[in-house]
Amino acid sequence: MSSKSILKDTSLAFLEQYLNNASPTGFEAEGQKIWMDYLKPYVDTFITDTYGTAVGVINPDAPYKVVIEGHSDEISWYVNYITDDGLIYVIRNGGSDHQIAPSKVVNIHTKNGIVKGVFGWPAIHTRTRDKEENPKVSNLFIDTGCENKEAVEKMGIHVGCVITYPDEFMIMNENKFVCRAIDNRMGGFMIAEVARLLHENKVKLPFGLYITNSVQEEVGLRGAEMITKTIQPNVAIVTDVCHDTSTPMIDMKIEGEIKMGKGPVITYAPAVQNKLRELILDAATANEIPFQRLASSRVTGTDTDAFAYSNGGVASALISLPLRYMHTTVEMVHREDVENVIKLIYESLLKIENNESFSYFK
């Protein structure tokens, strides 16, 4: 594949629309509609399930099945309690970071539409100077400007309403993509681009390809756990984000040495099938795609684990995208890494033969 940029203007327009749309865990439907609409010209059919995972399928009648997968959900908050004074206390929906919340604007999703609020925080002048209290879930509260609980409820806000941040997509310094929810709607974007390239290059795959955008990863890999039982794949290549460890306050001796701009990250872990990983490494080397390596102890913490340990064992591997500031509203990735993840998944698919055995002993 050429070193020329593979992202079209239409690709970037889709990426911006897809990232800007809110798709919190358990409420991914609108984002999935955007994703499926973009993918539709490049696949033969779709599979959807009860909880909203969407799968575009190429060659649906082929007995040998290969999955490429990302997850579609983003972290968020739930309304948990409304005080008589109209202040809203929250609980997490996924791994929302309590330390970034104070002073953030939020969108509260109701049946009447979006209601704006802010995470309030005491002014610096009023905080106890000898022992400042740190933000934690128990002391975070949202102010909607209402004077009492009745006024809050009149706007359609109730316990269980989901809360997201409104921060939108931007490009910094020409080649850095910044937004909330890059973890991991960028994965959904990248696998959709693989499907586009296969279609535009008229590639005829000798197996069924299942482009899978799973829900509910942020609360325990649940969407992947469900859809792998439906698909029953032979192979799964998962893409997610991993930490760029080159920024301050991260210990590389613990987290490993990963830097955005240096290429996709190929993971070593028990859930990663060795032969499939080596096929991916060979594809990277043969096509001069830069890559980095990462070791994960026990679990990868991604949907790779759900696929690998399903259906009696599925040959699975993980290709990650280096990301700065995970689970914040300013998640940042490098455009070249995005393109190289797409290229690596594409080239890896071309190396998989029909009915290829990844048996440990063959």
Side-chain angles (χ1 to χ4, degrees):
M1 183 176 290
S2 169
S3 59
K4 180 182 176 183
S5 174
I6 59 175
L7 298 184
K8 295 182 172 182
D9 289 344
T10 50
S11 304
L12 294 177
F14 161 59
L15 176 61
E16 182 170 2
Q17 180 190 20
Y18 187 44
L19 283 172
N20 287 350
N21 177 80
S23 292
T25 301
F27 300 86
E28 300 95 342
E30 292 306 312
Q32 296 292 60
K33 291 175 185 177
I34 293 169
W35 185 81
M36 293 171 71
D37 185 60
Y38 180 77
L39 193 66
K40 188 175 182 179
Y42 312 129
V43 298
D44 297 320
T45 189
F46 283 99
I47 298 170
T48 56
D49 73 6
T50 304
Y51 280 86
T53 290
V55 185
V57 187
I58 298 171
N59 300 337
D61 296 327
Y64 194 81
K65 301 175 183 179
V66 176
V67 162
I68 57 174
E69 192 262 6
H71 74 83
S72 61
D73 58 321
E74 66 180 288
I75 57 172
S76 58
W77 301 94
Y78 277 124
V79 174
N80 187 51
Y81 173 67
I82 306 170
T83 71
D84 291 340
D85 294 330
L87 299 177
I88 297 169
Y89 284 80
V90 299
I91 56 172
R92 291 187 175 101
N93 184 19
S96 299
D97 189 341
H98 54 280
Q99 292 204 24
I100 71 159
S103 82
K104 292 295 296 182
V105 175
V106 297
N107 288 336
I108 305 171
H109 298 258
T110 79
K111 289 183 178 180
N112 300 329
I114 298 293
V115 175
K116 290 289 185 180
V118 296
F119 272 112
W121 195 247
I124 189 171
H125 317 73
T126 65
R127 301 202 293 267
T128 304
R129 288 167 178 78
D130 60 346
K131 188 180 179 182
E132 286 198 318
E133 189 162 5
N134 294 318
K136 46 185 181 284
V137 175
S138 61
N139 64 15
L140 292 178
F141 64 91
I142 292 172
D143 190 338
T144 59
C146 293
E147 295 182 358
N148 53 50
K149 182 176 182 178
E150 182 181 7
V152 171
E153 292 176 337
K154 191 173 182 180
M155 291 193 294
I157 299 171
H158 54 75
V159 170
C161 283
V162 72
I163 303 157
T164 60
Y165 296 115
D167 301 71
E168 295 195 337
F169 176 76
M170 63 178 175
I171 299 176
M172 286 178 50
N173 197 26
E174 298 183 352
N175 59 13
K176 309 301 189 304
F177 297 153
V178 179
C179 195
R180 40 153 267 288
I182 287 178
D183 174 16
N184 180 38
R185 280 208 288 285
M186 191 62 78
F189 170 75
M190 293 187 296
I191 59 175
E193 288 299 281
V194 171
R196 176 180 66 80
L197 291 175
L198 291 169
H199 177 82
E200 292 178 354
N201 294 333
K202 297 180 171 57
V203 174
K204 300 297 183 183
L205 295 172
F207 47 77
L209 182 64
Y210 291 71
I211 303 102
T212 303
N213 208 11
S214 298
V215 298
Q216 299 195 26
E217 187 272 351
E218 296 289 357
V219 292
L221 321 182
R222 298 307 187 189
E225 179 183 346
M226 291 183 278
I227 200 65
T228 187
K229 294 175 183 176
T230 300
I231 299 172
Q232 296 192 329
N234 300 93
V235 175
I237 298 175
V238 174
T239 185
D240 206 325
V241 294
C242 65
H243 300 290
D244 176 327
T245 62
S246 66
T247 56
M249 298 182 285
I250 298 177
D251 188 343
M252 290 187 183
K253 294 190 296 296
I254 297 173
E255 302 294 341
E257 184 176 1
I258 300 295
K259 188 171 184 177
M260 70 176 186
K262 289 192 171 184
V265 179
I266 299 174
T267 295
Y268 291 71
V272 174
Q273 210 275 346
N274 293 336
K275 289 188 176 182
L276 179 57
R277 184 194 61 243
E278 292 304 308
L279 179 147
I280 293 168
L281 288 168
D282 290 345
T285 301
N287 294 279
E288 299 183 341
I289 300 170
F291 66 88
Q292 305 173 78
R293 290 182 169 94
L294 179 67
S296 291
S297 178
R298 293 179 60 85
V299 298
T300 70
T302 72
D303 282 337
T304 311
D305 304 326
F307 279 96
Y309 301 130
S310 70
N311 302 302
V314 174
S316 301
L318 174 60
I319 301 174
S320 297
L321 176 68
L323 174 78
R324 289 183 174 177
Y325 321 124
M326 191 181 296
H327 285 201
T328 74
T329 57
V330 291
E331 294 180 336
M332 179 187 298
V333 295
H334 198 297
R335 176 176 176 147
E336 289 180 9
D337 290 337
V338 172
E339 297 202 23
N340 281 322
V341 169
I342 295 166
K343 291 176 185 178
L344 184 52
I345 296 173
Y346 177 94
E347 296 295 346
S348 296
L349 291 176
L350 299 187
K351 290 181 69 67
I352 298 175
E353 302 292 338
N354 187 30
N355 295 320
E356 181 164 357
S357 173
F358 288 98
S359 171
Y360 195 81
F361 296 102
K362 291 182 181 179

